[in-house]
Amino acid sequence: MNLMKSLTPAAAIIALPQMGLAQEALIGEAALHTQYIFTTLLFLMGGFLVFFMAAGFAMLEGGLVRSKNVAMQMIKNIALFSIAAIMYWLIGFNLMYPGDGWTITGWLGPFFSTTSLDPVGVAPADAALDYASIGSDFFFQLVFVAATASIVSGAVAERIKLWPFLAFVVVLTGIMYPITGSWQWGGGWLSEAGFSDFAGSTIVHSVGGWAALAGAIILGPRIGKYKDGRVHPMPGSNLALATLGTFILWLGWFGFNGGSQLAMGTVGDVSDVSRIFANTNMAAASGAVAALILTQLLYRKPDLTMVLNGALAGLVSITAEPLAPTLFGALWIGSVGGIIVVFAVPMLDKFKIDDVVGAIPVHLFAGIWGTIAVIFYGEASLITQLTGIVAYGVFTFVGAMILWTILKATVGIRVSEEDEINGLDMAELGMEAYPEFSKG
Amino acid sequence: MNLMKSLTPAAAIIALPQMGLAQEALIGEAALHTQYIFTTLLFLMGGFLVFFMAAGFAMLEGGLVRSKNVAMQMIKNIALFSIAAIMYWLIGFNLMYPGDGWTITGWLGPFFSTTSLDPVGVAPADAALDYASIGSDFFFQLVFVAATASIVSGAVAERIKLWPFLAFVVVLTGIMYPITGSWQWGGGWLSEAGFSDFAGSTIVHSVGGWAALAGAIILGPRIGKYKDGRVHPMPGSNLALATLGTFILWLGWFGFNGGSQLAMGTVGDVSDVSRIFANTNMAAASGAVAALILTQLLYRKPDLTMVLNGALAGLVSITAEPLAPTLFGALWIGSVGGIIVVFAVPMLDKFKIDDVVGAIPVHLFAGIWGTIAVIFYGEASLITQLTGIVAYGVFTFVGAMILWTILKATVGIRVSEEDEINGLDMAELGMEAYPEFSKG
Amino acid sequence: MNLMKSLTPAAAIIALPQMGLAQEALIGEAALHTQYIFTTLLFLMGGFLVFFMAAGFAMLEGGLVRSKNVAMQMIKNIALFSIAAIMYWLIGFNLMYPGDGWTITGWLGPFFSTTSLDPVGVAPADAALDYASIGSDFFFQLVFVAATASIVSGAVAERIKLWPFLAFVVVLTGIMYPITGSWQWGGGWLSEAGFSDFAGSTIVHSVGGWAALAGAIILGPRIGKYKDGRVHPMPGSNLALATLGTFILWLGWFGFNGGSQLAMGTVGDVSDVSRIFANTNMAAASGAVAALILTQLLYRKPDLTMVLNGALAGLVSITAEPLAPTLFGALWIGSVGGIIVVFAVPMLDKFKIDDVVGAIPVHLFAGIWGTIAVIFYGEASLITQLTGIVAYGVFTFVGAMILWTILKATVGIRVSEEDEINGLDMAELGMEAYPEFSKG
């Protein structure tokens, strides 16, 4: 009996030859259906939570830019999500998961392979009963790629033109992210090499961070940011909004990491999802506390934006392995993430890389850290993890540099000096986010 | 075996005469219980997501009105939701679903029929095992009616008195919406005629839009909006908030459309919910992108508020049939919704109908479009769909005109000119939403 | 058959001796697994909803303080949540639920007992199949204790130093709340005495309220609040944000109360969760409407902040017994909560207790009311309920007074007069929440 208890119900059935065949099939079928529903539900829940991260990024970035660029940051964020949704359908999903239905024929020709959902009222015989519905899987994967694009928009804020930025998003979400994503999650070479990145510290966050770094370098810093050898802070216009954005991202991360268990239909799986929730929360908390204490020690004043970014860095850090660590493991992994951010932000300023919201420290540096931290808990070796980090870095950074450079050379990516000083909102959109509040 | 696989577990059991009766009943019972739990859970999840749309409407509207009217918009939104909750309990739910427990007796007399929930710890024998718990169903339906009322509050903002508006909400949510809702969702004549409106493009959104249109006409435009033959834009005071509201509405729409599957206990149903999530997201994305591109082409500058409303129009458009279309279908249906908004907003201005937030284009026009679009995917005929659209339109518009007129003739619905200029917040509430930010 | 129908599937199986033992065990096992997954899922969903209340408190408080103290309120809220997460792991959870794994040995010595989660991929034989995963339970309980701390931060806002406040949070979340929590939810003496507090009107909300009251008394009122025998209102700086916070709290309360059913795997349980959702919503709605009408009657102008607090008081009021009442019961319980707030806010001012956001009326007074209201629906006696109310009150208020006094006597808890006038943001953090909006 003990052995049977440790099996899933469906598996246990198969182990019971003394049952009648019809009953055996029937009960096993019912259990499989239930598992399918649970896992599909996990993707739907995880999906809407990660969807909401789009709002989180928008609020975080909208709060950290100056008020003259807030409307632009809003339009960028809603547009990038929308473009990601379309591009990932048009090509990305099947490019990333080639085994799941990629076909180079069809009316869109050899270059596109749009996503096809399960038919309406799909029969169990036609569904992936050991996994989940295509619609839920597609939705869940899609909100991940959008997160990658959101990371970029924060770093290059306050000086980039709208349309070239969106052109970059088209390529990033339709082609670049799906190609590198397929290396691991599509069953590609890194997956076979033993690389381990549970929910995407590298695959999602570092990729976004590399693309952001390339953009920030090619664009150059905002006017006046580095002048006379000094760094001139440009405080965010609405820290309440930035805090809201951080809380929304933290909320969404439960879906991000929890959903990446990719299964919720057994006792073991739902318990694992629970571990992931608890660890994810702990890493965020410890990242925030680490940044709080460290900024107090370093600057004698705690820094709210550092605390917000510390929480986010804690979240990114635990994303590569939110399951295996104990809560204490999540605590120290997240703390290191928070510490990294506090040191990395001024370091980027030393190199005159102007990352408006701190996206590069949070998503790239903490993403690398989280991917390395897997070796303490996962079964991956340091060498494999470094291979993955470097492979993603080289491909994405080089690809993004090329793409930004092409955009710069052709349509131009930076607004005019006058437009930048007046603010992108009036210059590019002809509107203001806060038209009535007079500026001090 | 293939046949069995295509049945739900519960149905399959019934097909197996060779099983012992007791076992048959037992396994079937377990499967039914599980299905009941899943569908109830769908309503609870869908319900809290749609509940949150109340916050979305509040933020959207609060961001699009001028700062002197923000506190009023906040109080209207929280009050209208609260009133809807009470009225729908007091009379609406049983009026809309007469078969589900309507009784004209009881201590409240023949005029009211309050909602009764399942008893605590309801026994399976007493529960609607083929559906869901009454509490979850009531909650899910209730948040829908609140959405209808929210639509109205945006269109008539910045000039309507608080209490007459709330009186309108009482009648709309307690009587008007439930009556028309019963035509279709209560199994009434339109349902029998074959009208098709999956989650309420017409039943919820157009109804709100018609009521809003009537209100905007009776109220007249804001002072200074149409002067000297020109339209004077009155920019929203906080576009970050408006963007947040849009994202929250988008989030809530997964519950709105997904929950309207009304079942999640089988492989087919949960897969359908997944289709709906994916399609809903695609329609929002394509509506946003369509509005983005179109405003760039028309005005040479993208318009953030149009993009926000484009996303919402995409959502409204897909609401009548979020299940049947392919993702490409959702894309083009949503795009048309976005395009409609861009053209309809200035059109309303031509008629000097002052819709502060664009609620009429988004909810009425895109709602009509979505209801018509069903004919390309659903089984409804154009004539049936038009019949429904006209029936809902005539009843709601005429009813709302009468109600607004009565309110205008008795208590008055519009604040004084002085109060409107000073802002409703100080005049009606004696407070300001942003008391410290000096106005430019 | 009727009897069987009224049993849960798992229980029914046990009642069927004629089935083969193996099949019996198998089907029962499957049903148990499914129940475990559902209840774990309830905690995960409830948990992320209650987590989001941290954002709700932050926005509510950030909207109700003056703009010069907003950044401080943000950092307090994200820090208190993070500290709660760490302290509850370090000691609180096992202190509160001693039966669930408390052990005074281990490397942290006799003073700490950190939480251990289920192992990765826990086998069903090792899981609490009749309940839920440890991770989900821990996560769900943890977000409750954070709510308690959030309540305090609002009442003592605009004058308390950051670090002493956080030191208070360390003790409150790590020791005080867990000790009193164990009296009831840990199976302690109040639980045995028959005290009834379903989701924590007393255990969570009043405890937060008592701690807040002690803090507000020890701190004293803000400079200028009570001067020349009059109360000088200090309006919140952003009522849109405060409204958003209220809606988020309302949303989170579905998880707060619904999750406290602690089971979702049977027809009866999920139907009970549904009742709780519907009742929770009704109490919030009726609290809001009561405050709306009452402020209109008393002051001839509705008061938005009272309406927001009325909704919250309705929610607190129903929290002690959200299951047993009918919807009408929820309506009148919630209404009384809303009425209490409207009268209690000026009453506190009479005593010159300066509660910046109204946390004491909402959480303490309505919490007491809700705990008493149980006697009309639950099986608890008035005397038992009063015993619990007094026990929680004495322990928490006295403990908090001692703790605040120690902090005051040692490190000091109040900022300097100059810092208070200039605002805590510049004084303690060196930054502003809205640096660009000039103050009127």
Side-chain angles (χ1 to χ4, degrees):
Chain A
M1 272 313 266
N2 268 353
L3 176 71
M4 195 169 71
K5 275 193 179 174
S6 69
L7 297 170
T8 66
I13 285 153
I14 293 156
L16 280 177
Q18 70 269 37
M19 291 190 70
L21 267 180
Q23 296 166 34
E24 191 179 301
L26 182 66
I27 304 178
E29 200 69 16
L32 262 179
H33 289 198
T34 302
Q35 290 185 33
Y36 174 89
I37 298 171
F38 274 124
T39 299
T40 298
L41 181 57
L42 175 69
F43 286 155
L44 295 178
M45 273 179 42
F48 74 66
L49 287 171
V50 181
F51 161 79
F52 201 38
M53 290 174 73
F57 280 111
M59 295 304 111
L60 176 68
E61 298 172 12
L64 292 182
V65 300
R66 289 164 294 173
S67 63
K68 64 186 175 185
N69 298 317
V70 170
M72 176 55 88
Q73 212 57 29
M74 295 298 114
I75 209 167
K76 275 177 191 157
N77 271 281
I78 197 163
L80 75 84
F81 183 89
S82 300
I83 288 169
I86 294 171
M87 291 307 299
Y88 204 64
W89 156 77
L90 185 63
I91 178 164
F93 185 60
N94 279 336
L95 185 56
M96 186 157 163
Y97 298 95
D100 294 5
W102 168 264
T103 158
I104 55 161
T105 57
W107 67 271
L108 281 164
F111 300 113
F112 300 106
S113 171
T114 60
T115 304
S116 294
L117 305 175
D118 288 310
V120 174
V122 62
D126 300 324
L129 288 184
D130 57 347
Y131 188 52
S133 75
I134 300 174
S136 66
D137 187 29
F138 167 71
F139 177 60
F140 186 67
Q141 301 299 337
L142 147 64
V143 289
F144 272 58
V145 63
T148 301
S150 296
I151 293 163
V152 181
S153 80
V156 299
E158 302 206 288
R159 58 211 192 275
I160 198 167
K161 284 185 190 172
L162 176 61
W163 290 102
F165 170 74
L166 296 181
F168 185 87
V169 169
V170 165
V171 180
L172 179 69
T173 61
I175 299 171
M176 289 175 61
Y177 172 94
I179 286 176
T180 53
S182 76
W183 294 350
Q184 175 74 6
W185 291 341
W189 67 277
L190 267 169
S191 158
E192 281 170 22
F195 181 62
S196 178
D197 186 7
F198 195 92
S201 282
T202 285
I203 301 169
V204 179
H205 293 279
S206 286
V207 162
W210 287 115
L213 178 63
I217 291 171
I218 301 279
L219 267 174
R222 289 166 290 175
I223 296 168
K225 175 76 183 178
Y226 307 111
K227 215 171 51 182
D228 315 325
R230 284 181 45 227
V231 179
H232 296 265
M234 297 176 164
S237 53
N238 192 332
L239 297 188
L241 218 57
T243 305
L244 175 65
T246 303
F247 273 119
I248 293 175
L249 288 167
W250 189 330
L251 171 70
W253 233 287
F254 295 119
F256 201 96
N257 287 357
S260 295
Q261 175 72 11
L262 307 182
M264 195 174 68
T266 67
V267 168
D269 280 320
V270 81
S271 303
D272 283 358
V273 174
S274 308
R275 275 185 75 94
I276 293 168
F277 268 57
N279 278 336
T280 299
N281 192 64
M282 178 58 101
S286 65
V289 169
L292 178 74
I293 293 172
L294 192 57
T295 52
Q296 171 72 40
L297 294 177
L298 290 177
Y299 308 121
R300 309 186 59 88
K301 287 194 170 155
D303 184 315
L304 173 57
T305 60
M306 284 292 189
V307 173
L308 301 180
N309 275 332
L312 297 176
L315 289 161
V316 171
S317 302
I318 202 66
T319 294
E321 185 50 81
L323 174 58
T326 59
L327 283 166
F328 178 71
L331 183 144
W332 77 263
I333 291 173
S335 306
V336 173
I339 292 166
I340 286 171
V341 159
V342 174
F343 287 113
V345 167
M347 197 193 77
L348 279 178
D349 277 334
K350 285 235 172 76
F351 291 100
K352 298 194 180 173
I353 294 169
D354 185 13
D355 173 1
V356 178
V357 305
I360 296 165
V362 167
H363 297 278
L364 176 54
F365 296 168
I368 290 174
W369 155 241
T371 309
I372 291 172
V374 171
I375 64 170
F376 300 110
Y377 293 96
E379 309 201 351
S381 70
L382 177 60
I383 197 75
T384 323
Q385 295 302 89
L386 291 177
T387 305
I389 290 165
V390 170
Y392 276 90
V394 169
F395 182 96
T396 306
F397 185 70
V398 171
M401 288 295 276
I402 293 170
L403 186 51
W404 287 123
T405 306
I406 292 171
L407 287 167
K408 184 176 180 178
T410 51
V411 292
I413 56 175
R414 184 151 182 163
V415 299
S416 73
E417 196 166 318
E418 191 190 340
D419 285 354
E420 187 177 335
I421 289 166
N422 293 336
L424 277 58
D425 290 2
M426 284 310 295
E428 292 231 306
L429 304 178
M431 53 176 56
E432 292 176 88
Y434 309 111
E436 299 182 39
F437 303 156
S438 41
K439 311 306 181 289
Chain B
M1 273 310 267
N2 269 354
L3 176 70
M4 196 170 71
K5 276 195 179 171
S6 70
L7 298 170
T8 65
I13 284 152
I14 294 155
L16 280 176
Q18 70 269 35
M19 291 190 70
L21 266 180
Q23 295 166 33
E24 192 179 301
L26 181 66
I27 305 179
E29 199 70 15
L32 261 179
H33 289 198
T34 302
Q35 289 185 34
Y36 173 90
I37 298 170
F38 274 124
T39 299
T40 297
L41 180 58
L42 176 69
F43 285 155
L44 295 178
M45 271 180 42
F48 74 66
L49 287 171
V50 181
F51 161 79
F52 202 39
M53 290 173 73
F57 279 111
M59 294 305 110
L60 177 68
E61 298 172 11
L64 292 182
V65 301
R66 289 165 294 175
S67 64
K68 63 186 175 185
N69 298 315
V70 170
M72 176 55 89
Q73 213 56 29
M74 295 299 113
I75 209 167
K76 275 177 190 157
N77 271 281
I78 197 163
L80 75 83
F81 183 89
S82 301
I83 288 170
I86 293 171
M87 290 307 299
Y88 203 64
W89 156 76
L90 186 63
I91 177 163
F93 185 61
N94 279 335
L95 186 57
M96 185 156 163
Y97 298 95
D100 294 3
W102 169 263
T103 157
I104 55 161
T105 57
W107 67 271
L108 281 164
F111 301 112
F112 300 105
S113 171
T114 59
T115 304
S116 294
L117 304 175
D118 289 309
V120 174
V122 62
D126 300 324
L129 288 184
D130 57 347
Y131 189 52
S133 75
I134 299 174
S136 67
D137 187 29
F138 167 72
F139 177 61
F140 185 67
Q141 300 299 336
L142 146 65
V143 288
F144 272 59
V145 63
T148 302
S150 295
I151 293 164
V152 181
S153 79
V156 299
E158 302 206 288
R159 58 213 193 272
I160 199 167
K161 285 185 189 171
L162 175 62
W163 290 101
F165 170 74
L166 295 181
F168 185 86
V169 170
V170 165
V171 180
L172 179 69
T173 60
I175 300 172
M176 289 175 62
Y177 172 94
I179 287 176
T180 54
S182 78
W183 294 350
Q184 177 73 5
W185 290 342
W189 68 275
L190 267 169
S191 158
E192 281 170 21
F195 181 64
S196 176
D197 187 6
F198 195 91
S201 283
T202 285
I203 301 169
V204 179
H205 293 280
S206 286
V207 162
W210 285 115
L213 178 64
I217 291 171
I218 302 279
L219 267 174
R222 287 166 292 174
I223 295 169
K225 174 77 181 177
Y226 308 110
K227 214 170 55 183
D228 316 324
R230 285 180 44 226
V231 179
H232 297 263
M234 297 176 165
S237 53
N238 192 333
L239 297 189
L241 218 56
T243 304
L244 175 65
T246 303
F247 273 119
I248 293 175
L249 287 167
W250 189 331
L251 172 70
W253 233 288
F254 296 118
F256 201 97
N257 288 357
S260 295
Q261 174 73 11
L262 307 181
M264 197 174 66
T266 66
V267 168
D269 280 319
V270 81
S271 303
D272 284 357
V273 174
S274 308
R275 276 185 74 95
I276 293 168
F277 268 57
N279 278 336
T280 298
N281 192 63
M282 178 59 101
S286 65
V289 169
L292 177 75
I293 294 172
L294 193 57
T295 52
Q296 171 73 40
L297 295 177
L298 290 178
Y299 308 120
R300 309 185 62 86
K301 288 196 168 153
D303 184 315
L304 172 57
T305 60
M306 285 292 190
V307 173
L308 301 180
N309 275 332
L312 297 176
L315 288 162
V316 171
S317 301
I318 201 67
T319 295
E321 186 48 83
L323 175 59
T326 59
L327 283 165
F328 178 72
L331 183 145
W332 78 264
I333 291 173
S335 306
V336 173
I339 292 166
I340 286 172
V341 159
V342 174
F343 287 113
V345 167
M347 198 194 77
L348 279 178
D349 277 334
K350 286 236 172 73
F351 291 101
K352 297 192 180 176
I353 294 169
D354 185 12
D355 174 1
V356 177
V357 305
I360 297 166
V362 166
H363 298 278
L364 177 53
F365 296 167
I368 291 174
W369 156 241
T371 309
I372 292 172
V374 172
I375 64 171
F376 300 111
Y377 292 96
E379 308 201 351
S381 70
L382 178 59
I383 197 76
T384 323
Q385 294 303 87
L386 291 176
T387 305
I389 290 165
V390 170
Y392 277 90
V394 169
F395 183 95
T396 306
F397 185 71
V398 172
M401 287 295 277
I402 293 171
L403 186 51
W404 287 124
T405 306
I406 292 172
L407 288 167
K408 183 177 181 177
T410 52
V411 292
I413 55 176
R414 185 152 182 163
V415 300
S416 72
E417 195 165 319
E418 191 190 342
D419 285 355
E420 188 176 336
I421 290 166
N422 292 336
L424 276 60
D425 290 2
M426 284 309 296
E428 293 231 305
L429 303 179
M431 55 176 55
E432 292 177 87
Y434 309 111
E436 298 181 40
F437 304 156
S438 42
K439 310 305 181 291
Chain C
M1 276 309 268
N2 268 355
L3 176 69
M4 196 170 69
K5 276 195 180 172
S6 70
L7 298 170
T8 66
I13 284 154
I14 294 156
L16 279 177
Q18 71 270 36
M19 289 190 70
L21 268 180
Q23 295 166 35
E24 192 178 300
L26 182 67
I27 304 178
E29 200 71 15
L32 261 179
H33 290 198
T34 302
Q35 290 184 34
Y36 174 90
I37 298 171
F38 273 125
T39 299
T40 298
L41 181 57
L42 176 69
F43 285 155
L44 296 178
M45 271 180 42
F48 75 66
L49 287 171
V50 181
F51 161 79
F52 202 38
M53 291 174 72
F57 279 111
M59 295 304 111
L60 177 68
E61 298 172 12
L64 292 181
V65 300
R66 289 163 296 174
S67 63
K68 64 186 175 185
N69 298 316
V70 170
M72 177 54 89
Q73 212 57 30
M74 295 299 113
I75 209 168
K76 275 177 190 157
N77 271 280
I78 197 163
L80 75 84
F81 183 90
S82 301
I83 288 170
I86 294 171
M87 291 307 299
Y88 204 64
W89 156 77
L90 186 63
I91 178 163
F93 185 60
N94 279 336
L95 185 58
M96 185 156 164
Y97 298 95
D100 294 4
W102 170 263
T103 158
I104 55 160
T105 57
W107 67 271
L108 282 164
F111 300 112
F112 299 106
S113 171
T114 59
T115 304
S116 294
L117 305 175
D118 289 310
V120 175
V122 62
D126 300 324
L129 287 185
D130 57 346
Y131 189 53
S133 75
I134 299 174
S136 66
D137 187 29
F138 167 70
F139 178 60
F140 186 66
Q141 301 299 337
L142 146 65
V143 288
F144 272 58
V145 63
T148 301
S150 295
I151 292 164
V152 181
S153 79
V156 299
E158 301 206 291
R159 58 211 192 275
I160 199 167
K161 284 184 191 172
L162 175 61
W163 290 102
F165 170 74
L166 296 181
F168 184 86
V169 170
V170 164
V171 180
L172 179 69
T173 61
I175 300 171
M176 288 175 61
Y177 172 95
I179 287 175
T180 54
S182 77
W183 295 349
Q184 177 72 6
W185 289 342
W189 68 276
L190 268 169
S191 158
E192 280 170 23
F195 181 63
S196 177
D197 186 7
F198 195 90
S201 283
T202 285
I203 301 168
V204 179
H205 293 280
S206 286
V207 162
W210 286 115
L213 178 63
I217 290 172
I218 301 279
L219 267 175
R222 288 166 291 175
I223 295 169
K225 175 76 183 178
Y226 308 110
K227 214 170 52 181
D228 315 325
R230 284 179 45 227
V231 179
H232 298 265
M234 297 176 166
S237 54
N238 192 332
L239 298 188
L241 217 57
T243 304
L244 175 65
T246 303
F247 273 118
I248 292 175
L249 288 167
W250 189 331
L251 171 70
W253 233 287
F254 295 118
F256 200 97
N257 288 357
S260 295
Q261 174 72 12
L262 307 182
M264 196 173 68
T266 67
V267 168
D269 280 319
V270 80
S271 304
D272 283 358
V273 174
S274 308
R275 276 185 74 95
I276 292 168
F277 268 56
N279 278 336
T280 299
N281 193 62
M282 178 59 101
S286 65
V289 169
L292 178 75
I293 293 173
L294 193 57
T295 51
Q296 171 72 40
L297 295 177
L298 290 177
Y299 307 121
R300 310 186 60 85
K301 288 196 169 152
D303 184 316
L304 172 57
T305 60
M306 286 291 190
V307 173
L308 301 180
N309 274 332
L312 297 176
L315 288 162
V316 172
S317 302
I318 201 67
T319 294
E321 185 48 84
L323 174 59
T326 59
L327 283 166
F328 179 72
L331 183 143
W332 78 264
I333 291 172
S335 306
V336 173
I339 292 166
I340 285 171
V341 160
V342 175
F343 287 114
V345 167
M347 197 192 78
L348 279 179
D349 278 333
K350 286 236 172 73
F351 291 100
K352 297 193 180 175
I353 295 168
D354 185 12
D355 173 2
V356 178
V357 304
I360 297 165
V362 166
H363 297 278
L364 176 54
F365 297 167
I368 291 173
W369 156 240
T371 309
I372 292 172
V374 172
I375 65 171
F376 300 110
Y377 292 96
E379 308 201 352
S381 70
L382 178 59
I383 197 76
T384 322
Q385 295 302 88
L386 290 177
T387 305
I389 290 166
V390 170
Y392 277 90
V394 168
F395 182 95
T396 306
F397 185 71
V398 172
M401 287 295 276
I402 293 170
L403 186 51
W404 287 123
T405 306
I406 292 171
L407 287 167
K408 184 177 180 177
T410 51
V411 292
I413 56 176
R414 186 155 180 160
V415 299
S416 72
E417 196 166 318
E418 190 190 341
D419 285 353
E420 187 177 335
I421 290 166
N422 292 336
L424 276 60
D425 290 2
M426 284 311 294
E428 293 231 306
L429 304 178
M431 54 175 56
E432 292 177 87
Y434 310 111
E436 298 182 39
F437 303 156
S438 38
K439 312 304 182 291

